[in-house]
Amino acid sequence: MIPTDVDWAARAEGLADTLKERGDLHAEAWRVAVASVPRHVLVPKTYQQDGQTGEWREIDTASPEGLDLVYSPETLVTALEDRNGHQYAVSSSTKPDLMVRMLELLDINDTHRVLEIGTGTGYNAALLAQRLGDGQVFSVDVDAGLVDGARERLAEFGCRPTLAAVDGEHGLPDHAPYDRIIATCSVPSVPWQWAEQLTDDGRVLVDLKLAVGAGNLVYLNRKPGRLEGRFTERWAAFMAMRHEGDLVTANRPRSTDRAERTTNTPAQPWWSHRVVWFLAQFALPRGVSYGMRLDPDTRKPTAATLSSPDGSWVEVALDEVDGAHQVVEAGVTALWAAVEQAYEQWRDLGEPDWPRLGLTVTPDGQHVWLDEPDGEVSWTVPR
Ligand SMILES: C[S@@+](CC[C@H](N)C(=O)[O-])C[C@H]1O[C@@H](n2cnc3c(N)ncnc32)[C@H](O)[C@@H]1O
């Protein structure tokens, strides 16, 4: 039941070859999977934003232009939402290069049963089902509409993994145990229920993000009484796990007690020093978001900003004067001081990159560690 109405097969082969040439894909089994999945069926339309006007344009992925896009390793925006008269991207299809890198990292063999958290378009579930057969693939999404859509579209080309519309935080106990769990949404801490649904030598690959941009993929092995493993060398980011009934808490009004000083810490560690931004979360309150201040006339960015739900904020000038950035801050929480301390600590520790950091998850709590699970330096992940 492979669709024959559009000329997609050569393009899917082309995508597989591109991923191989770029060094994202090595195993023949995954090359065959990428070449066999009609991605345009799972992602029937995408949106592209005009760089000049900011307007979004819908593209049918069965059109020649759409086929070129959907069989390329590009991010595809798949849903927009209207907010205050502006359209924002709210959903996207995970880039195939990231997907295959994660699948290869999981070291999946022919007998494995795999649970995916975050069905989305169903593309990753299709790659898994192509590789392992429908009976060994399970995928859940909290959004029932997405699950229904993915099920229907997967069936169009005869692909029928087990899909369920449930909150993936609880895994899918009815079909456990799994040899591998792969999450394609980020989590603020790793649910212990996943560990309970793994085989004795099972593994989990998940994006741990303590705040926006603050974390990375971590690859965990099941060990007696715990999950343990290191963060991956390459950085990646997935949309955050959400739960039915999630509340948007109102922020307190912006504090007005401004104070000025200077700093030698990089102004945007969330882009330039991701490990520092991650470590800063162990001192920052929950819900701190970063942004940018624009010059009202030129619309050019002039300062990086942080704001906290308690009304505290800070602006750090992007340009340096005499080797330092100007800081303006206000509120009860010293937001930038937390970033400065994390930066100092990171430098004192020898500027570790992701693979020097690891995570241990137990039923009672979880902690990030430096170099060794029982080493001298660790940070407790907030519950
Ligand atoms: C980046 S998308 C996944 C892309 C997907 N793997 C694919 O191949 O198209 C992230 C998905 O995670 C889902 N998600 C968010 N919170 C969830 C939760 N609590 N349980 C399960 N899925 C969740 C979202 O609805 C979204 O579809």
Side-chain angles (χ1 to χ4, degrees):
M1 274 210 284
I2 294 294
T4 52
D5 52 332
V6 293
D7 179 20
W8 66 273
R11 285 182 166 93
E13 281 282 346
L15 172 59
D17 291 342
T18 304
L19 297 177
K20 206 169 163 184
E21 280 157 23
R22 289 170 32 146
D24 296 316
L25 190 159
H26 304 88
E28 177 60 13
W30 290 119
R31 200 201 66 77
V32 170
V34 172
S36 319
V37 173
R39 189 167 186 235
H40 70 285
V41 175
L42 299 167
V43 187
K45 61 184 175 190
T46 181
Y47 299 89
Q48 267 202 333
Q49 193 171 28
D50 185 303
Q52 300 289 320
T53 64
E55 295 290 311
W56 290 92
R57 184 168 63 95
E58 183 178 313
I59 300 170
D60 176 355
T61 58
S63 69
E65 179 193 13
L67 283 168
D68 284 345
L69 273 176
V70 85
Y71 292 102
S72 73
E74 296 302 320
T75 297
L76 298 177
V77 172
T78 52
L80 299 175
E81 201 173 88
D82 217 57
R83 291 182 204 150
N84 307 325
H86 290 284
Q87 288 196 301
Y88 292 89
V90 289
S91 187
S92 58
S93 174
T94 307
K95 292 172 71 180
D97 53 342
L98 173 58
M99 223 53 277
V100 294
R101 281 207 312 271
M102 288 174 69
L103 291 170
E104 289 205 336
L105 194 61
L106 270 172
D107 197 18
I108 290 169
N109 75 36
D110 292 351
T111 66
H112 281 162
R113 303 171 80 251
V114 180
L115 171 63
E116 180 194 28
I117 313 291
T119 311
T121 64
Y123 181 62
N124 191 41
L127 293 176
L128 283 163
Q130 196 66 41
R131 165 83 173 77
L132 295 171
D134 293 344
Q136 289 164 231
V137 179
F138 306 82
S139 180
V140 303
D141 202 293
V142 71
D143 185 328
L146 288 179
V147 172
D148 289 346
R151 185 180 285 117
E152 221 168 89
R153 293 187 188 114
L154 287 164
E156 281 181 39
F157 52 98
C159 187
R160 293 187 176 77
T162 300
L163 303 187
V166 297
D167 188 330
E169 186 177 20
H170 312 296
L172 189 62
D174 291 354
H175 297 274
Y178 308 103
D179 300 282
R180 300 286 184 266
I181 296 180
I182 178 172
T184 54
C185 51
S186 72
V187 293
S189 61
V190 179
W192 180 248
Q193 279 149 297
W194 294 1
E196 292 173 333
Q197 293 172 35
L198 278 177
T199 55
D200 287 346
D201 57 353
R203 295 175 187 180
V204 175
L205 183 57
V206 58
D207 181 17
L208 180 81
K209 287 278 187 303
L210 303 181
V212 176
N216 193 13
L217 291 175
V218 63
Y219 188 33
L220 303 166
N221 294 295
R222 181 85 167 97
K223 302 210 166 157
R226 65 195 195 280
L227 291 173
E228 203 158 78
R230 287 176 190 273
F231 288 85
T232 64
E233 194 161 353
R234 278 175 78 165
W235 188 80
F238 282 91
M239 62 172 65
M241 179 175 257
R242 56 198 159 93
H243 308 282
E244 205 178 318
D246 272 351
L247 293 174
V248 180
T249 46
N251 288 356
R252 300 192 56 173
R254 271 167 72 85
S255 301
T256 52
D257 54 338
R258 339 168 10 123
E260 295 192 20
R261 63 185 182 91
T262 58
T263 185
N264 297 109
T265 299
Q268 299 178 90
W270 38 91
W271 299 123
S272 62
H273 294 72
R274 289 192 162 113
V275 171
V276 172
W277 179 233
F278 177 57
L279 297 182
Q281 304 309 315
F282 295 104
L284 283 169
R286 296 300 92 206
V288 172
S289 57
Y290 63 76
M292 198 74 96
R293 184 179 180 75
L294 302 182
D295 181 289
D297 298 324
T298 64
R299 309 298 297 159
K300 286 210 173 116
T302 57
T305 64
L306 285 183
S307 42
S308 160
D310 67 8
S312 306
W313 56 268
V314 59
E315 289 182 6
V316 182
L318 297 183
D319 289 339
E320 290 179 26
V321 177
D322 297 333
H325 300 271
Q326 188 68 21
V327 175
V328 184
E329 57 194 343
V332 290
T333 309
L335 299 175
W336 200 251
V339 177
E340 288 173 320
Q341 279 155 21
Y343 184 62
E344 284 310 310
Q345 186 183 33
W346 175 76
R347 291 185 55 149
D348 289 347
L349 294 172
E351 307 190 0
D353 208 347
W354 291 109
R356 281 187 63 194
L357 298 178
L359 179 72
T360 298
V361 180
T362 71
D364 306 319
Q366 35 205 287
H367 65 275
V368 171
W369 38 264
L370 181 76
D371 294 331
E372 297 303 330
D374 301 321
E376 283 175 11
V377 185
S378 67
W379 301 263
T380 302
V381 176
R383 284 176 184 269

